[in-house]
Amino acid sequence: QQQVKQSPQSLIVQKGGISIINCAYENTAFDYFPWYQQFPGKGPALLIAIRPDVSEKKEGRFTISFNKSAKQFSLHIMDSQPGDSATYFCAASRVGGFKTIFGAGTRLFVKA
Amino acid sequence: DGGITQSPKYLFRKEGQNVTLSCEQNLNHDAMYWYRQDPGQGLRLIYYSQIVNDFQKGDIAEGYSVSREKKESFPLTVTSAQKNPTAFYLCASSSLAGGNNEQFFGPGTRLTVL
């Protein structure tokens, strides 16, 4: 199966709170898991990515947690800010491969 | 500045017309991609190309055509055979070196069929 399932579809968080977005995949051949951030009217941009040889990767306020046995990974945004309001896509691909499978996206709104 | 440009930003088409969306990159990337974005459906792959003069169908290629005559350019034609073409179209590119396949996206073209 090539799908990547993403939840929730939308999320509202108070300023300073933690935003959590979850994704699950089925194809165990995937070995590269990026998250993309998209602002309205713009193209997505890579936010952070992880490979399955580590269980967590942190860059500033953004953290990916990875559970290889459960085939799940999640994005945590600490101290969420109104400027984080965007659509977030998880994705999966094979290192060296050409196709990336995207989740359906999560629209995050951070209330000031 | 290095990046991907798409034109036009907005495009209106009458039913039965073919339209071509432009995508140009100056990142010296080998691979280029076209995605369609609809609300709540994420990004769906239309076509991709790994090298000049070669391209492969993605998951939703019906009603679309592409060409890759130059490394920098990967135009997408939306034909009259595409039954529901109104969508946001994104072009992307990636380097085949390094292996991670990070995709760099253009700003998109919003196509509306009148």
Side-chain angles (χ1 to χ4, degrees):
Chain A
Q1 284 291 339
Q2 292 279 50
Q3 283 187 328
V4 175
K5 296 182 179 180
Q6 182 172 347
S7 63
Q9 187 173 9
S10 62
L11 182 61
I12 300 174
V13 174
Q14 291 284 351
K15 179 181 176 181
I18 302 174
S19 303
I20 302 174
I21 304 170
N22 300 300
C23 284
Y25 64 99
E26 298 174 354
N27 187 346
T28 55
F30 291 144
D31 53 7
Y32 177 64
F33 301 90
W35 286 88
Y36 287 82
Q37 179 188 54
Q38 183 182 31
F39 293 104
K42 307 293 185 183
L46 180 67
L47 183 64
I48 187 173
I50 196 169
R51 291 197 184 188
D53 53 343
V54 297
S55 60
E56 185 174 282
K57 183 174 181 180
K58 184 176 181 179
E59 291 184 1
R61 296 184 294 108
F62 301 90
T63 299
I64 300 178
S65 297
F66 188 85
N67 186 329
K68 187 175 182 178
S69 61
K71 293 188 285 186
Q72 295 175 347
F73 58 110
S74 60
L75 176 69
H76 295 234
I77 306 174
M78 311 300 288
D79 187 27
S80 298
Q81 299 297 312
D84 297 330
S85 297
T87 298
Y88 293 82
F89 294 96
C90 63
S93 67
R94 297 183 62 180
V95 171
F98 301 107
K99 293 180 69 173
T100 297
I101 309 300
F102 289 87
T106 296
R107 294 186 67 178
L108 171 65
F109 179 68
V110 181
K111 296 173 64 175
Chain B
D1 290 334
I4 301 178
T5 57
Q6 291 185 242
S7 62
K9 187 174 179 64
Y10 298 97
L11 185 58
F12 297 89
R13 188 196 93 173
K14 293 182 180 179
E15 286 191 16
Q17 288 182 335
N18 294 353
V19 290
T20 297
L21 283 58
S22 171
C23 177
E24 304 277 335
Q25 56 100 358
N26 62 5
L27 299 169
N28 198 33
H29 285 170
D30 294 297
M32 296 188 74
Y33 309 80
W34 274 105
Y35 293 92
R36 170 177 171 145
Q37 184 174 15
D38 296 281
Q41 295 195 47
L43 305 176
R44 293 185 291 169
L45 183 64
I46 304 173
Y47 269 97
Y48 65 103
S49 168
Q50 301 168 26
I51 56 173
V52 174
N53 293 323
D54 187 49
F55 47 83
Q56 287 78 41
K57 293 182 178 180
D59 301 318
I60 56 166
E62 184 176 353
Y64 301 97
S65 65
V66 294
S67 63
R68 186 86 186 275
E69 298 177 0
K70 298 186 301 181
K71 186 176 183 178
E72 301 79 19
S73 179
F74 191 41
L76 173 74
T77 296
V78 184
T79 75
S80 57
Q82 170 49 235
K83 297 306 179 186
N84 184 22
T86 294
F88 190 51
Y89 290 88
L90 288 160
C91 179
S93 70
S94 68
S95 171
L96 301 185
N100 281 340
N101 196 24
E102 175 186 351
Q103 306 218 341
F104 293 79
F105 286 85
T109 292
R110 186 165 298 281
L111 173 64
T112 302
V113 174
L114 303 174

